[in-house]
Amino acid sequence: QGLCVPEDPAAARGFLVRGCDGGAETACRELATSLAAGRGGAVDLVGAAHRMAQGCALGDGKSCAMEGMAHQHGRGVKADEVVAFARFSRACALDYATGCTAAALVALKSDASRAGEALRLVDQGCLLGDPTACRILAEAGGEVSTPRPPLPPQ
């Protein structure tokens, strides 16, 4: 952010590489964001997808959800709804609320017979505090879960 020092996106990218390679999942997520946006160097969607996968493997739910989006839309990787669903589901399992909702929507898009699974995922997303999931539940006439207070940002 350039607090107390001049902002240097290229140097920041270097620090994020070291952090991610050292096992810091949030560094992987921030590096993926930097690579996808071209901050501190050229846009690198393939590299961004790789760093999302690395962050997800390290247990960062937001990285898993970002990787799911990459697979859903073919950004830096081959578009693959099955892989997208798996990454969104992992995000959900790691208590990343929007991952639950995204997994539910992918499940429904792929096969309407997965409505029960999708409802369970939307309910989990609502429990974790995703307002979109709670709205979907309410519109579907289901019982809206009481969301847990959001976790502090990572």
Side-chain angles (χ1 to χ4, degrees), residues 46 49 67-84:
V46 172
E67 186 186 3
M69 290 290 289
H71 282 281
Q72 188 175 31
H73 300 289
R75 292 183 47 90
V77 291
K78 181 177 173 249
D80 187 330
E81 293 283 319
V82 172
V83 176

Side-chain angles (χ1 to χ4, degrees), residues 7-32:
E7 190 170 318
D8 186 348
R13 193 184 268 196
F15 288 123
L16 290 170
V17 167
R18 287 198 340 237
C20 182
D21 289 345
E25 67 272 5
T26 53
C28 295
R29 179 186 349 122
E30 293 302 321
L31 178 57

Side-chain angles (χ1 to χ4, degrees), residues 1-151:
Q1 291 184 8
L3 301 176
C4 301
V5 294
E7 190 170 318
D8 186 348
R13 193 184 268 196
F15 288 123
L16 290 170
V17 167
R18 287 198 340 237
C20 182
D21 289 345
E25 67 272 5
T26 53
C28 295
R29 179 186 349 122
E30 293 302 321
L31 178 57
T33 301
S34 178
L35 291 166
R39 282 196 313 267
V43 170
D44 180 2
L45 296 178
V46 172
H50 171 74
R51 296 305 183 157
M52 291 170 200
Q54 200 171 353
C56 182
L58 290 167
D60 181 53
K62 188 171 184 178
S63 291
C64 297
M66 290 167 56
E67 186 186 3
M69 290 290 289
H71 282 281
Q72 188 175 31
H73 300 289
R75 292 183 47 90
V77 291
K78 181 177 173 249
D80 187 330
E81 293 283 319
V82 172
V83 176
F85 176 78
R87 296 312 177 270
F88 289 138
S89 294
R90 172 132 167 86
C92 183
L94 292 168
D95 289 343
Y96 189 70
T98 56
C100 303
T101 309
L105 295 174
V106 170
L108 280 176
K109 181 181 172 189
S110 70
D111 184 354
S113 70
R114 296 173 73 183
E117 177 184 19
L119 183 60
R120 181 189 60 75
L121 287 162
V122 168
D123 186 59
Q124 180 67 16
C126 183
L127 281 170
L128 291 170
D130 181 9
T132 300
C134 296
R135 189 186 78 247
I136 291 169
L137 277 178
E139 289 173 1
E143 185 176 320
V144 177
S145 304
T146 303
R148 292 193 319 214
L151 296 173

